[in-house]
Amino acid sequence: MINLREISQKFNIEEEFGVYENAEMSRRFSFKVGGKTPLLIEPLTEDALLKALNILEAEKIPYFILGGGTNIVFSDNGFDGVVISAVKLNRIEQLAADGDDVILKCQCGVLMNTLVNYAVKNSLTGLEEFCGLPGTCGGAGYMNARCFNKEISDVVGTITYFDKNSSKNDASGGIFEKKTLSYDKSLWQYKISPFTGTDKVIVSVEFRVRKTSDSSIQQKASEFMKERVEKGHFKFPCAGSVFKNNHAFGKPTGKIVDELGLKGHSIGGAQIAPWHGNIIINRENATSKDIKELVEFVKEQVKEKTGFELEEEILFY
Ligand SMILES: Cc1cc2nc3c(=O)[nH]c(=O)nc-3n(C[C@H](O)[C@H](O)[C@H](O)COP(=O)(O)OP(=O)(O)OC[C@H]3O[C@@H](n4cnc5c(N)ncnc54)[C@H](O)[C@@H]3O)c2cc1C
């Protein structure tokens, strides 16, 4: 257990952080599972986020960054450290660019759906496919989220992030500093960004959009949302696709699971969606253990019957 009182004091500064001790976390995850964390903080400014990272590094306290919690299965045992939530960093700025090109600079906690609505309202096109994508810009950047054949790497510009400066590393741990990364195609792959699996913290993401006089963009965005609803994305708590697709399999992972007759299979309160082989739902009071066991079950079945090795897209914390 971390020394809650001591560390909580360091964040007890009203203008800089929201602070929640012994926080129940399940409602912060789209799967609605998971235990408690001794300390949850919500930095209100980018400087506060930087301060938090530097304090926690210096104190050697484990932490992780939480976006919208829509791709995470959070442990029933909780997390013995500090969860840093990005939700209060939610400013969108419109930056001028050349001709009809516009840059939308979004702090990491801006919800993707809010961003799409903002763009459409301002007659800016390029993001409609992301309408209804749960989660934040930071999370989508980290995951290189992909919707209807468009991925974040297709629209991203410069990303601002905090990174440990190795030259300042000393006995008290690394010191974070602000850096920027311009878009470089070679650093992005299917569901992998330059941030995936690193401890870099995305502060803001720039999206490249274009001015348009085409008034149908609102309808286009609504149609993408409608398709999600029809696919049953929002019927039960879930985290979207559980497994990555893989061209080598010759068909979508959901179809493979479907063909093995696994749709509807349950372990505890977790169930493979009866309408989609690549979605696991929290049918009734599931635990993260139920979800983990069901994921392992599907992987074993698929390996045994087809030889394919599925790779999880959802993250276990
Ligand atoms: C109903 C439903 C439908 C979905 N549909 C899709 C879909 O069509 N396509 C798709 O790609 N995904 C989909 N998802 C999955 C999920 O929405 C995306 O992966 C989303 O981009 C995750 O964003 P988040 O903010 O919720 O990230 P979280 O789940 O909070 O975090 C995911 C990872 O990103 C890291 N992270 C978050 N913010 C930051 C930051 N600022 N800096 C560094 N790291 C950070 C976290 O530490 C974690 O490792 C769906 C999920 C649901 C529930």
Side-chain angles (χ1 to χ4, degrees):
M1 262 311 220
I2 63 169
N3 185 341
L4 179 61
R5 187 164 306 143
E6 220 173 85
I7 197 71
S8 179
Q9 285 308 319
K10 294 187 192 271
F11 298 108
N12 232 342
I13 314 161
E14 238 168 64
E15 317 81 63
E16 288 188 333
F17 299 99
V19 178
Y20 305 87
E21 292 179 6
N22 204 18
E24 198 65 71
M25 293 297 289
S26 61
R27 71 181 179 85
R28 294 184 181 254
F29 296 96
S30 58
F31 248 131
K32 307 295 174 217
V33 298
K36 291 183 177 184
T37 183
L39 191 59
L40 167 72
I41 57 170
E42 294 174 345
L44 304 182
T45 64
E46 293 176 14
D47 284 346
L49 171 59
L50 180 60
K51 189 171 175 176
L53 292 168
N54 281 330
I55 290 174
L56 295 170
E57 274 295 321
E59 300 285 340
K60 295 190 169 25
I61 292 173
Y63 59 85
F64 80 89
I65 309 295
L66 174 65
T70 64
N71 208 45
I72 291 177
V73 184
F74 191 63
S75 168
D76 302 322
N77 301 324
F79 176 70
D80 195 14
V82 176
V83 178
I84 305 176
S85 164
V87 287
K88 294 279 162 63
L89 296 171
N90 52 18
R91 197 179 60 236
I92 303 178
E93 241 179 297
Q94 211 178 122
L95 308 180
D98 283 348
D100 284 343
D101 295 336
V102 172
I103 298 286
L104 292 178
K105 183 172 183 178
C106 301
Q107 283 186 318
C108 56
V110 170
L111 294 174
M112 282 302 293
N113 200 46
T114 304
L115 168 63
V116 175
N117 286 333
Y118 175 95
V120 166
K121 252 190 211 137
N122 286 277
S123 300
L124 298 168
T125 185
L127 300 174
E128 297 86 290
E129 286 85 345
F130 298 105
C131 187
L133 173 70
T136 61
C137 293
Y142 178 94
M143 301 296 302
N144 193 16
R146 181 184 173 90
C147 306
F148 303 102
N149 292 326
K150 184 173 261 188
E151 50 188 35
I152 294 297
S153 62
D154 294 324
V155 288
V156 78
T158 299
I159 294 187
T160 304
Y161 63 103
F162 292 137
D163 193 11
K164 283 184 209 168
N165 180 336
S166 49
S167 65
K168 284 194 198 161
N169 265 348
D170 56 27
S172 64
I175 305 295
F176 279 84
E177 61 179 12
K178 195 182 256 189
K179 293 185 185 170
T180 55
L181 180 76
S182 302
Y183 173 66
D184 173 349
K185 192 173 188 289
S186 67
L187 301 176
W188 297 75
Q189 296 167 43
Y190 169 69
K191 298 276 168 141
I192 295 180
S193 81
F195 300 89
T196 313
T198 72
D199 49 19
K200 297 178 172 77
V201 176
I202 297 173
V203 181
S204 62
V205 181
E206 292 183 9
F207 292 90
R208 294 176 285 114
V209 291
R210 276 180 81 73
K211 284 183 200 153
T212 181
S213 53
D214 179 357
S215 59
S216 73
I217 55 169
Q218 171 71 69
Q219 196 196 334
K220 210 173 132 196
S222 304
E223 275 163 17
F224 286 118
M225 173 62 111
K226 192 166 160 247
E227 202 171 324
R228 282 181 179 279
V229 173
E230 283 168 4
K231 280 185 181 162
H233 280 198
F234 307 114
K235 277 191 192 168
F236 284 90
C238 72
S241 297
V242 174
F243 301 104
K244 293 185 183 180
N245 286 314
N246 184 335
H247 281 304
F249 299 165
K251 52 184 104 167
T253 302
K255 194 155 194 312
I256 296 172
V257 177
D258 185 5
E259 285 172 359
L260 294 181
L262 297 176
K263 280 197 304 194
H265 186 87
S266 297
I267 294 186
Q271 183 184 39
I272 302 170
W275 60 90
H276 197 304
N278 200 12
I279 294 179
I280 287 180
I281 57 171
N282 179 350
R283 181 93 204 189
E284 202 179 6
N285 301 321
T287 60
S288 67
K289 187 165 165 280
D290 296 337
I291 297 168
K292 179 81 183 157
E293 283 178 16
L294 193 51
V295 166
E296 293 306 326
F297 172 78
V298 174
K299 285 173 78 174
E300 278 163 26
Q301 289 289 307
V302 170
K303 173 82 179 139
E304 190 186 310
K305 309 237 164 80
T306 68
F308 298 143
E309 294 201 18
L310 296 185
E311 189 190 342
E312 289 99 319
E313 183 170 324
I314 52 173
L315 304 166
F316 289 88
Y317 275 72

Short mmCIF file of all heavy atoms in Angstrom, two decimals, residues 146-193:
data_model
loop_
_atom_site.label_atom_id
_atom_site.label_comp_id
_atom_site.label_asym_id
_atom_site.label_seq_id
_atom_site.Cartn_x
_atom_site.Cartn_y
_atom_site.Cartn_z
N ARG A 146 -8.68 2.85 -34.76
CA ARG A 146 -9.03 2.69 -36.18
C ARG A 146 -10.53 2.50 -36.29
O ARG A 146 -11.11 1.64 -35.62
CB ARG A 146 -8.31 1.45 -36.69
CG ARG A 146 -8.53 1.13 -38.12
CD ARG A 146 -7.82 -0.17 -38.47
NE ARG A 146 -8.16 -0.56 -39.82
CZ ARG A 146 -7.49 -0.21 -40.90
NH1 ARG A 146 -6.41 0.52 -40.78
NH2 ARG A 146 -7.89 -0.57 -42.11
N CYS A 147 -11.16 3.29 -37.13
CA CYS A 147 -12.62 3.20 -37.29
C CYS A 147 -12.96 3.26 -38.77
O CYS A 147 -12.56 4.22 -39.45
CB CYS A 147 -13.31 4.39 -36.61
SG CYS A 147 -12.85 4.58 -34.90
N PHE A 148 -13.73 2.31 -39.23
CA PHE A 148 -14.18 2.31 -40.61
C PHE A 148 -13.03 2.62 -41.60
O PHE A 148 -13.12 3.54 -42.41
CB PHE A 148 -15.34 3.32 -40.78
CG PHE A 148 -16.49 3.04 -39.86
CD1 PHE A 148 -16.68 3.79 -38.71
CD2 PHE A 148 -17.36 1.99 -40.12
CE1 PHE A 148 -17.74 3.52 -37.84
CE2 PHE A 148 -18.42 1.71 -39.26
CZ PHE A 148 -18.61 2.48 -38.12
N ASN A 149 -11.97 1.86 -41.45
CA ASN A 149 -10.78 1.96 -42.33
C ASN A 149 -10.00 3.26 -42.22
O ASN A 149 -9.14 3.53 -43.06
CB ASN A 149 -11.15 1.74 -43.81
CG ASN A 149 -11.57 0.31 -44.05
OD1 ASN A 149 -11.03 -0.60 -43.40
ND2 ASN A 149 -12.55 0.10 -44.91
N LYS A 150 -10.31 4.09 -41.26
CA LYS A 150 -9.48 5.28 -41.04
C LYS A 150 -8.83 5.16 -39.67
O LYS A 150 -9.49 4.77 -38.71
CB LYS A 150 -10.33 6.56 -41.13
CG LYS A 150 -9.49 7.82 -41.02
CD LYS A 150 -10.31 9.06 -41.28
CE LYS A 150 -10.14 9.57 -42.69
NZ LYS A 150 -10.78 10.87 -42.90
N GLU A 151 -7.53 5.46 -39.60
CA GLU A 151 -6.90 5.39 -38.28
C GLU A 151 -6.33 6.74 -37.90
O GLU A 151 -6.19 7.63 -38.74
CB GLU A 151 -5.87 4.26 -38.22
CG GLU A 151 -4.86 4.21 -39.33
CD GLU A 151 -4.00 2.95 -39.28
OE1 GLU A 151 -4.49 1.87 -38.91
OE2 GLU A 151 -2.81 3.06 -39.63
N ILE A 152 -6.02 6.87 -36.62
CA ILE A 152 -5.53 8.16 -36.12
C ILE A 152 -4.33 8.63 -36.93
O ILE A 152 -4.20 9.81 -37.24
CB ILE A 152 -5.17 8.04 -34.60
CG1 ILE A 152 -6.42 7.78 -33.77
CG2 ILE A 152 -4.43 9.29 -34.10
CD1 ILE A 152 -7.47 8.87 -33.79
N SER A 153 -3.47 7.70 -37.33
CA SER A 153 -2.27 8.08 -38.08
C SER A 153 -2.61 8.75 -39.42
O SER A 153 -1.78 9.44 -39.98
CB SER A 153 -1.37 6.87 -38.31
OG SER A 153 -2.06 5.92 -39.09
N ASP A 154 -3.83 8.56 -39.91
CA ASP A 154 -4.24 9.21 -41.17
C ASP A 154 -4.54 10.69 -40.99
O ASP A 154 -4.64 11.43 -41.97
CB ASP A 154 -5.50 8.54 -41.75
CG ASP A 154 -5.25 7.11 -42.18
OD1 ASP A 154 -4.15 6.84 -42.68
OD2 ASP A 154 -6.15 6.27 -42.01
N VAL A 155 -4.75 11.11 -39.76
CA VAL A 155 -5.21 12.49 -39.53
C VAL A 155 -4.35 13.25 -38.53
O VAL A 155 -4.60 14.42 -38.26
CB VAL A 155 -6.69 12.50 -39.02
CG1 VAL A 155 -7.65 12.12 -40.13
CG2 VAL A 155 -6.88 11.59 -37.82
N VAL A 156 -3.34 12.59 -37.99
CA VAL A 156 -2.58 13.21 -36.91
C VAL A 156 -1.48 14.14 -37.46
O VAL A 156 -0.94 13.89 -38.53
CB VAL A 156 -1.98 12.10 -35.99
CG1 VAL A 156 -0.74 11.48 -36.60
CG2 VAL A 156 -1.68 12.64 -34.61
N GLY A 157 -1.23 15.22 -36.71
CA GLY A 157 -0.10 16.10 -37.03
C GLY A 157 0.93 15.95 -35.94
O GLY A 157 1.41 14.84 -35.67
N THR A 158 1.21 17.05 -35.27
CA THR A 158 2.22 17.01 -34.19
C THR A 158 1.58 16.57 -32.87
O THR A 158 0.47 16.97 -32.56
CB THR A 158 2.84 18.42 -34.03
OG1 THR A 158 3.46 18.76 -35.27
CG2 THR A 158 3.86 18.47 -32.91
N ILE A 159 2.31 15.75 -32.14
CA ILE A 159 1.85 15.35 -30.80
C ILE A 159 2.82 15.93 -29.78
O ILE A 159 4.04 15.85 -29.94
CB ILE A 159 1.78 13.81 -30.67
CG1 ILE A 159 0.69 13.27 -31.61
CG2 ILE A 159 1.51 13.39 -29.23
CD1 ILE A 159 0.39 11.80 -31.48
N THR A 160 2.25 16.56 -28.75
CA THR A 160 3.08 17.08 -27.66
C THR A 160 2.99 16.09 -26.51
O THR A 160 1.89 15.61 -26.20
CB THR A 160 2.55 18.47 -27.20
OG1 THR A 160 2.53 19.32 -28.36
CG2 THR A 160 3.43 19.08 -26.13
N TYR A 161 4.14 15.78 -25.90
CA TYR A 161 4.12 14.76 -24.84
C TYR A 161 5.17 15.05 -23.78
O TYR A 161 6.09 15.86 -24.00
CB TYR A 161 4.32 13.36 -25.45
CG TYR A 161 5.65 13.15 -26.14
CD1 TYR A 161 6.68 12.44 -25.52
CD2 TYR A 161 5.89 13.66 -27.41
CE1 TYR A 161 7.90 12.24 -26.14
CE2 TYR A 161 7.11 13.47 -28.04
CZ TYR A 161 8.11 12.76 -27.40
OH TYR A 161 9.32 12.58 -28.02
N PHE A 162 5.01 14.41 -22.64
CA PHE A 162 6.03 14.48 -21.60
C PHE A 162 6.85 13.20 -21.66
O PHE A 162 6.29 12.10 -21.74
CB PHE A 162 5.39 14.63 -20.20
CG PHE A 162 4.71 15.96 -19.99
CD1 PHE A 162 3.46 16.02 -19.36
CD2 PHE A 162 5.30 17.15 -20.39
CE1 PHE A 162 2.83 17.24 -19.15
CE2 PHE A 162 4.68 18.37 -20.18
CZ PHE A 162 3.43 18.41 -19.56
N ASP A 163 8.15 13.37 -21.57
CA ASP A 163 9.05 12.22 -21.68
C ASP A 163 10.13 12.36 -20.61
O ASP A 163 10.48 13.48 -20.23
CB ASP A 163 9.69 12.24 -23.07
CG ASP A 163 10.40 10.94 -23.40
OD1 ASP A 163 10.21 9.96 -22.65
OD2 ASP A 163 11.14 10.91 -24.40
N LYS A 164 10.63 11.23 -20.15
CA LYS A 164 11.71 11.30 -19.17
C LYS A 164 12.99 11.73 -19.87
O LYS A 164 13.31 11.21 -20.93
CB LYS A 164 11.93 9.92 -18.54
CG LYS A 164 10.89 9.57 -17.51
CD LYS A 164 11.26 8.26 -16.88
CE LYS A 164 9.99 7.57 -16.42
NZ LYS A 164 10.20 6.18 -16.06
N ASN A 165 13.68 12.68 -19.28
CA ASN A 165 14.95 13.11 -19.82
C ASN A 165 16.05 12.26 -19.18
O ASN A 165 16.36 12.43 -18.01
CB ASN A 165 15.14 14.60 -19.50
CG ASN A 165 16.45 15.11 -20.04
OD1 ASN A 165 17.39 14.35 -20.26
ND2 ASN A 165 16.51 16.41 -20.27
N SER A 166 16.60 11.35 -19.99
CA SER A 166 17.54 10.38 -19.40
C SER A 166 18.78 11.06 -18.83
O SER A 166 19.37 10.60 -17.86
CB SER A 166 17.93 9.34 -20.44
OG SER A 166 18.30 10.00 -21.62
N SER A 167 19.17 12.21 -19.40
CA SER A 167 20.38 12.87 -18.88
C SER A 167 20.15 13.45 -17.50
O SER A 167 21.08 13.74 -16.78
CB SER A 167 20.85 13.95 -19.85
OG SER A 167 19.86 14.95 -19.90
N LYS A 168 18.86 13.64 -17.13
CA LYS A 168 18.58 14.18 -15.79
C LYS A 168 18.28 13.06 -14.80
O LYS A 168 17.95 13.32 -13.66
CB LYS A 168 17.38 15.12 -15.86
CG LYS A 168 17.69 16.47 -16.45
CD LYS A 168 16.51 17.40 -16.15
CE LYS A 168 16.53 18.61 -17.07
NZ LYS A 168 15.22 19.25 -17.10
N ASN A 169 18.35 11.81 -15.28
CA ASN A 169 18.07 10.68 -14.36
C ASN A 169 19.05 10.69 -13.21
O ASN A 169 20.24 10.87 -13.39
CB ASN A 169 18.22 9.35 -15.10
CG ASN A 169 16.87 8.87 -15.61
OD1 ASN A 169 15.84 9.41 -15.22
ND2 ASN A 169 16.90 7.87 -16.46
N ASP A 170 18.53 10.55 -12.04
CA ASP A 170 19.42 10.41 -10.88
C ASP A 170 18.77 9.43 -9.92
O ASP A 170 17.79 8.77 -10.27
CB ASP A 170 19.68 11.77 -10.21
CG ASP A 170 18.39 12.43 -9.81
OD1 ASP A 170 17.40 11.72 -9.56
OD2 ASP A 170 18.34 13.67 -9.76
N ALA A 171 19.29 9.38 -8.70
CA ALA A 171 18.79 8.37 -7.75
C ALA A 171 17.30 8.54 -7.49
O ALA A 171 16.60 7.59 -7.17
CB ALA A 171 19.56 8.49 -6.45
N SER A 172 16.77 9.76 -7.67
CA SER A 172 15.36 9.99 -7.36
C SER A 172 14.46 9.71 -8.56
O SER A 172 13.26 9.98 -8.51
CB SER A 172 15.16 11.42 -6.88
OG SER A 172 15.47 12.29 -7.92
N GLY A 173 15.02 9.17 -9.65
CA GLY A 173 14.17 8.82 -10.79
C GLY A 173 14.27 9.85 -11.89
O GLY A 173 14.98 10.84 -11.80
N GLY A 174 13.51 9.61 -12.97
CA GLY A 174 13.61 10.50 -14.13
C GLY A 174 12.84 11.78 -13.94
O GLY A 174 11.93 11.87 -13.12
N ILE A 175 13.20 12.78 -14.69
CA ILE A 175 12.48 14.04 -14.66
C ILE A 175 11.84 14.22 -16.03
O ILE A 175 12.52 14.15 -17.05
CB ILE A 175 13.46 15.21 -14.40
CG1 ILE A 175 14.26 14.98 -13.12
CG2 ILE A 175 12.71 16.53 -14.36
CD1 ILE A 175 13.47 14.97 -11.85
N PHE A 176 10.55 14.46 -16.04
CA PHE A 176 9.85 14.60 -17.31
C PHE A 176 10.06 15.98 -17.91
O PHE A 176 10.18 16.98 -17.19
CB PHE A 176 8.35 14.39 -17.10
CG PHE A 176 7.97 12.94 -17.04
CD1 PHE A 176 8.07 12.22 -15.87
CD2 PHE A 176 7.51 12.28 -18.18
CE1 PHE A 176 7.72 10.89 -15.81
CE2 PHE A 176 7.16 10.95 -18.14
CZ PHE A 176 7.25 10.25 -16.95
N GLU A 177 10.06 16.04 -19.22
CA GLU A 177 10.10 17.34 -19.91
C GLU A 177 9.22 17.26 -21.15
O GLU A 177 8.90 16.18 -21.63
CB GLU A 177 11.52 17.71 -20.29
CG GLU A 177 12.15 16.72 -21.23
CD GLU A 177 13.57 17.10 -21.62
OE1 GLU A 177 14.13 18.00 -21.01
OE2 GLU A 177 14.08 16.47 -22.57
N LYS A 178 8.85 18.48 -21.63
CA LYS A 178 7.92 18.52 -22.76
C LYS A 178 8.67 18.32 -24.08
O LYS A 178 9.73 18.92 -24.28
CB LYS A 178 7.21 19.88 -22.76
CG LYS A 178 5.99 19.92 -23.65
CD LYS A 178 5.35 21.28 -23.64
CE LYS A 178 4.10 21.33 -22.81
NZ LYS A 178 3.34 22.56 -22.96
N LYS A 179 8.11 17.47 -24.95
CA LYS A 179 8.71 17.27 -26.28
C LYS A 179 7.59 17.25 -27.31
O LYS A 179 6.41 17.11 -26.96
CB LYS A 179 9.44 15.93 -26.35
CG LYS A 179 10.66 15.84 -25.47
CD LYS A 179 11.37 14.52 -25.70
CE LYS A 179 12.54 14.36 -24.74
NZ LYS A 179 13.10 13.00 -24.75
N THR A 180 7.97 17.36 -28.58
CA THR A 180 6.97 17.22 -29.64
C THR A 180 7.44 16.18 -30.65
O THR A 180 8.64 15.97 -30.82
CB THR A 180 6.72 18.55 -30.40
OG1 THR A 180 7.97 19.01 -30.90
CG2 THR A 180 6.10 19.60 -29.50
N LEU A 181 6.46 15.55 -31.29
CA LEU A 181 6.77 14.56 -32.33
C LEU A 181 5.92 14.89 -33.54
O LEU A 181 4.68 14.87 -33.45
CB LEU A 181 6.44 13.15 -31.82
CG LEU A 181 6.71 12.03 -32.80
CD1 LEU A 181 8.21 11.74 -32.89
CD2 LEU A 181 5.98 10.76 -32.38
N SER A 182 6.56 15.18 -34.66
CA SER A 182 5.80 15.43 -35.89
C SER A 182 5.42 14.09 -36.51
O SER A 182 6.09 13.08 -36.27
CB SER A 182 6.64 16.20 -36.90
OG SER A 182 7.05 17.40 -36.31
N TYR A 183 4.36 14.10 -37.30
CA TYR A 183 3.89 12.85 -37.90
C TYR A 183 4.99 12.24 -38.78
O TYR A 183 5.58 12.92 -39.61
CB TYR A 183 2.63 13.09 -38.74
CG TYR A 183 2.24 11.86 -39.51
CD1 TYR A 183 1.83 10.72 -38.83
CD2 TYR A 183 2.34 11.81 -40.90
CE1 TYR A 183 1.50 9.57 -39.54
CE2 TYR A 183 2.02 10.66 -41.60
CZ TYR A 183 1.60 9.54 -40.91
OH TYR A 183 1.30 8.40 -41.59
N ASP A 184 5.25 10.97 -38.58
CA ASP A 184 6.21 10.23 -39.40
C ASP A 184 5.60 8.85 -39.64
O ASP A 184 5.45 8.07 -38.69
CB ASP A 184 7.54 10.14 -38.63
CG ASP A 184 8.55 9.23 -39.33
OD1 ASP A 184 8.17 8.52 -40.28
OD2 ASP A 184 9.72 9.25 -38.91
N LYS A 185 5.22 8.60 -40.89
CA LYS A 185 4.50 7.38 -41.24
C LYS A 185 5.17 6.12 -40.70
O LYS A 185 4.51 5.18 -40.25
CB LYS A 185 4.40 7.31 -42.78
CG LYS A 185 3.45 6.29 -43.34
CD LYS A 185 3.36 6.49 -44.87
CE LYS A 185 2.30 5.64 -45.51
NZ LYS A 185 2.58 4.23 -45.57
N SER A 186 6.50 6.11 -40.72
CA SER A 186 7.22 4.88 -40.37
C SER A 186 7.05 4.51 -38.88
O SER A 186 7.38 3.40 -38.48
CB SER A 186 8.70 5.03 -40.70
OG SER A 186 9.28 6.00 -39.84
N LEU A 187 6.55 5.46 -38.08
CA LEU A 187 6.44 5.18 -36.64
C LEU A 187 5.06 4.62 -36.26
O LEU A 187 4.81 4.34 -35.09
CB LEU A 187 6.70 6.46 -35.82
CG LEU A 187 8.07 7.11 -36.03
CD1 LEU A 187 8.17 8.41 -35.24
CD2 LEU A 187 9.19 6.15 -35.63
N TRP A 188 4.16 4.54 -37.24
CA TRP A 188 2.78 4.10 -36.94
C TRP A 188 2.46 2.81 -37.69
O TRP A 188 2.83 2.66 -38.86
CB TRP A 188 1.78 5.18 -37.37
CG TRP A 188 1.94 6.47 -36.64
CD1 TRP A 188 2.92 7.41 -36.84
CD2 TRP A 188 1.12 6.97 -35.58
NE1 TRP A 188 2.75 8.46 -35.97
CE2 TRP A 188 1.65 8.23 -35.18
CE3 TRP A 188 -0.02 6.50 -34.93
CZ2 TRP A 188 1.08 8.99 -34.18
CZ3 TRP A 188 -0.59 7.28 -33.93
CH2 TRP A 188 -0.04 8.50 -33.56
N GLN A 189 1.79 1.90 -37.02
CA GLN A 189 1.35 0.65 -37.66
C GLN A 189 -0.08 0.37 -37.22
O GLN A 189 -0.60 1.07 -36.35
CB GLN A 189 2.21 -0.52 -37.19
CG GLN A 189 3.67 -0.45 -37.57
CD GLN A 189 4.46 -1.48 -36.80
OE1 GLN A 189 4.01 -2.61 -36.66
NE2 GLN A 189 5.60 -1.09 -36.27
N TYR A 190 -0.64 -0.73 -37.74
CA TYR A 190 -1.99 -1.12 -37.34
C TYR A 190 -2.05 -1.24 -35.80
O TYR A 190 -1.32 -2.04 -35.21
CB TYR A 190 -2.32 -2.47 -38.01
CG TYR A 190 -3.58 -3.13 -37.47
CD1 TYR A 190 -4.84 -2.59 -37.72
CD2 TYR A 190 -3.50 -4.29 -36.72
CE1 TYR A 190 -5.98 -3.18 -37.22
CE2 TYR A 190 -4.64 -4.90 -36.22
CZ TYR A 190 -5.88 -4.33 -36.47
OH TYR A 190 -7.01 -4.93 -35.98
N LYS A 191 -2.88 -0.41 -35.19
CA LYS A 191 -3.12 -0.41 -33.73
C LYS A 191 -1.83 -0.22 -32.91
O LYS A 191 -1.75 -0.66 -31.76
CB LYS A 191 -3.82 -1.70 -33.29
CG LYS A 191 -5.20 -1.88 -33.93
CD LYS A 191 -6.30 -1.17 -33.21
CE LYS A 191 -7.58 -1.13 -34.00
NZ LYS A 191 -8.79 -1.29 -33.35
N ILE A 192 -0.83 0.40 -33.51
CA ILE A 192 0.40 0.71 -32.77
C ILE A 192 0.83 2.14 -33.11
O ILE A 192 0.90 2.51 -34.28
CB ILE A 192 1.56 -0.26 -33.14
CG1 ILE A 192 1.21 -1.69 -32.71
CG2 ILE A 192 2.87 0.17 -32.48
CD1 ILE A 192 2.27 -2.71 -33.03
N SER A 193 1.09 2.94 -32.06
CA SER A 193 1.57 4.30 -32.26
C SER A 193 2.99 4.39 -31.69
O SER A 193 3.45 3.45 -31.04
CB SER A 193 0.65 5.28 -31.51
OG SER A 193 1.01 5.31 -30.13
#
